[in-house]
Amino acid sequence: MICPMDTPYEHPNTRPTNEPDAPPATPVSAPEGGVPDPGSPAARTLALLAGILGLFAVFALQQLPEPAAPEPTPEQREALVDAPLPDPSGLGVSGKILVRIDHANREGTDPGPLSTRFAGEITKTARAPEDLARAAVLLGELTGTDAALSELEKLGTKLEEDSEYAPGLDIDLVELRTIYESGPESLDDSQRERLVTRLGWVGELALTHGPNGPSADDEARSLLLSGGHQIVAIAVGGFALLGTAFAVGLALLVIALVRASSGSLRPAFRKPPVGGSLYLELFAVFAWGFFAVQILSGLLGMLAPPGTAVYIGMTLQWSLLGLVVVYPAIRSVPGKTSRAQLGLHKGQGVLKEIGAGVLGYLAGVPIYLGALLVTMVLILVWTYVQRTVLGIDDPAPPSNPLGDMVSGGTALQVALLFALAVIWAPIVEELVFRGGLFRHMRSRVAWPIAAVGSTIAFALMHGYAVPLLLPVATLGVIFGAMREWRDSLIAPMTAHFIHNFVTLSVAILIFRMLA
């Protein structure tokens, strides 16, 4: 994003300024007849077709629904009776947050306005039978035993109407009813252990209840409900930090736009001559390499022990870094030349370029938040259309694979994801999309078009649901503007790192604290 910095980077090919009184060097357009990027027209045509096909192959592969699990055998079904209960709506996590916040803000033991509001949110969320089991415990905590029994009554009705439910859910129903009608002491030790295994934190919370409500002096219960103040503090601190970033970013954005309109803020990127194909080829090679990694990791995952496919995929993804780095050398382009053309140089100095990345990211925060707001509105509208026009009673919310892994992945999976997000992505994605593809498009079109064009490819390569692509695309445009402004990739790499580091760190902090 354009930000208020001083003199633009002096490209090595700008006008010489050997005279003492000559003005500072400024980037100029490439002269007619200049040497274009390596490659031929035929290679350019093939790379364009291959890149488009590879892009949509990756997009289609990532948008495919998860394959339906095979029908479990009788032996497997019996084992699932005591296995953790699926959590299709995420009530295990969201309910824990709401109940802990409610507990921290209650005055006495009676439900308050916040309790009623949270109970309403849980009731709206709980649609699947698995949700109703958890919702019964959460509602019992928020508004009382009668609410828990009422929700269990709904669950019993659903189980009678549909015989295809999660194995063991009928047993969960009986055990939860026993707790709220007769008390947890009516269950033996094995039943209590099973309930905790099935429902996790929610199961532990249920065991602190009885016909007359929760146990007032239960130390284990106090421990289960602790942390509400910390959650509120993190939320308040996060909003304060976000508000500050928005205010500072808006000021930087206004200053940058004023300076850009007055001509005092000049881009350092030098438009290359039309021609060549190398960096379009680089994008095509990356797209098909990414597709191959996805296919190969899936095939190896089928042969490897269960649960290892995700490790294989994230490990294989690092091979693409080597592919992107060595491809120009494979095409016999000297490393010094390819690095300069891709933007792998220090610009006006490494520290100054990093500072430009920080300021550029802050200037982009208001735009990014606006994209998030539009996305939320679009999701609400689409949900309404699904329910009222298409007749879908329970439309599934768009899924975010990164969020799913952070909330439900193992510590090793989260660590591998973090490394990919804060190291691999800022390097590889910036080299391919802002380094190569932006440069190739920039030789033919103005920088906003090149930024948007390279960003479309950048967004489609991510495995997000379509409604969630707008914020990703917005980031891509911001990074493209920074490439035009600074020429060096250090600034967009820095901004990319900051965004991924902050968002993923906050998500990990919240989910791990709740664990």
Side-chain angles (χ1 to χ4, degrees):
M1 174 51 59
I2 300 175
C3 293
M5 296 288 287
D6 293 329
T7 315
Y9 160 64
E10 184 178 335
H11 194 282
N13 293 327
T14 52
R15 293 192 302 264
T17 56
N18 296 325
E19 300 178 11
D21 297 329
T26 56
V28 296
S29 300
E32 292 294 330
V35 180
D37 291 341
S40 64
R44 184 168 62 250
T45 301
L46 289 175
L48 178 62
L49 293 175
I52 293 174
L53 291 175
L55 173 63
F56 283 100
V58 172
F59 177 74
L61 179 66
Q62 294 184 332
Q63 296 301 316
L64 289 176
E66 290 290 332
E71 188 67 26
T73 64
E75 293 78 12
Q76 291 173 330
R77 191 170 183 85
E78 184 177 351
L80 290 173
V81 168
D82 298 327
L85 186 68
D87 190 8
S89 299
L91 272 179
V93 174
S94 61
K96 184 187 295 188
I97 294 174
L98 297 180
V99 166
R100 284 180 165 176
I101 293 175
D102 177 71
H103 179 75
N105 289 274
R106 275 197 187 191
E107 295 181 1
T109 58
D110 295 331
L114 200 61
S115 308
T116 304
R117 185 182 306 173
F118 287 169
E121 292 298 322
I122 290 172
T123 301
K124 287 192 296 184
T125 303
R127 297 180 178 273
E130 299 90 344
D131 295 332
L132 294 176
R134 287 186 172 86
V137 180
L138 298 171
L139 293 176
E141 178 64 37
L142 290 170
T143 58
T145 302
D146 289 343
L149 290 172
S150 176
E151 203 71 6
L152 291 175
E153 190 66 31
K154 293 181 187 177
L155 174 57
T157 301
K158 275 189 174 287
L159 297 187
E160 290 175 0
E161 294 173 349
D162 186 3
S163 59
E164 296 297 325
Y165 53 82
L169 196 53
D170 51 344
I171 302 176
D172 301 334
L173 173 61
V174 171
E175 292 178 346
L176 289 173
R177 272 180 176 164
T178 300
I179 289 174
Y180 288 102
E181 293 176 348
S182 305
E185 62 275 1
S186 300
L187 301 179
D188 59 33
D189 290 343
S190 63
Q191 290 175 312
R192 296 185 188 190
E193 291 176 5
R194 176 191 174 279
L195 198 60
V196 172
T197 300
R198 293 280 288 174
L199 300 178
W201 179 88
V202 175
E204 294 183 68
L205 185 63
L207 292 173
T208 68
H209 278 256
N212 299 319
S215 174
D217 56 352
D218 190 336
E219 183 178 348
R221 172 181 164 76
S222 299
L223 184 60
L224 286 172
L225 295 174
S226 64
H229 291 295
Q230 290 91 325
I231 294 173
V232 173
I234 290 175
V236 171
F239 278 114
L241 184 62
L242 193 61
T244 302
F246 178 85
V248 172
L250 187 60
L252 290 172
L253 180 61
V254 170
I255 293 171
L257 291 175
V258 170
R259 292 192 60 190
S261 63
S262 67
S264 62
L265 188 67
R266 300 179 181 180
F269 185 88
R270 184 181 182 187
K271 181 178 179 179
V274 175
S277 63
L278 174 64
Y279 300 111
L280 186 59
E281 295 172 34
L282 181 67
F283 164 69
V285 167
F286 172 76
W288 282 108
F290 193 87
F291 181 81
V293 165
Q294 301 297 307
I295 295 295
L296 183 59
S297 61
L299 294 175
L300 293 176
M302 294 171 61
L303 301 174
T308 58
V310 64
Y311 298 107
I312 294 173
M314 288 194 289
T315 302
L316 285 177
Q317 202 164 318
W318 282 96
S319 64
L320 297 176
L321 173 58
L323 179 65
V324 169
V325 170
V326 304
Y327 184 76
I330 294 174
R331 295 283 278 114
S332 301
V333 177
K336 184 177 181 179
T337 300
S338 63
R339 287 193 298 271
Q341 292 173 341
L342 285 170
L344 285 178
H345 53 74
K346 63 181 181 179
Q348 293 188 10
V350 174
L351 292 180
K352 192 167 186 178
E353 296 301 329
I354 291 175
V358 174
L359 293 177
Y361 179 71
L362 287 173
V365 166
I367 304 173
Y368 178 74
L369 293 179
L372 283 179
L373 182 61
V374 172
T375 298
M376 292 172 63
V377 172
L378 291 176
I379 291 174
L380 291 175
V381 171
W382 176 234
T383 301
Y384 175 80
V385 170
Q386 287 179 296
R387 287 178 178 168
T388 59
V389 179
L390 302 180
I392 302 175
D393 293 332
D394 187 19
S399 62
N400 185 330
L402 297 183
D404 296 340
M405 186 174 294
V406 170
S407 61
T410 66
L412 180 56
Q413 288 174 349
V414 173
L416 291 173
L417 173 65
F418 192 82
L420 283 173
V422 303
I423 301 175
W424 184 91
I427 296 174
V428 177
E429 292 178 355
E430 293 310 307
L431 278 172
V432 172
F433 296 104
R434 259 65 63 181
L437 189 57
F438 176 90
R439 176 183 174 84
H440 180 84
M441 298 181 69
R442 187 68 180 87
S443 67
R444 293 162 172 78
V445 297
W447 79 260
I449 300 175
V452 171
S454 58
T455 288
I456 292 174
F458 171 69
L460 292 179
M461 289 288 291
H462 287 71
Y464 300 147
V466 174
L468 302 180
L469 290 179
L470 179 60
V472 180
T474 301
L475 284 175
V477 173
I478 293 170
F479 299 155
M482 294 174 69
R483 164 76 153 136
E484 175 77 11
W485 172 42
R486 306 304 302 177
D487 187 46
S488 170
L489 280 184
I490 294 176
M493 282 181 175
T494 300
H496 201 151
F497 166 82
I498 292 172
H499 179 81
N500 288 3
F501 179 85
V502 171
T503 53
L504 202 53
S505 295
V506 171
I508 292 172
L509 173 64
I510 292 173
F511 283 113
R512 294 303 158 183
M513 183 183 69
L514 290 173

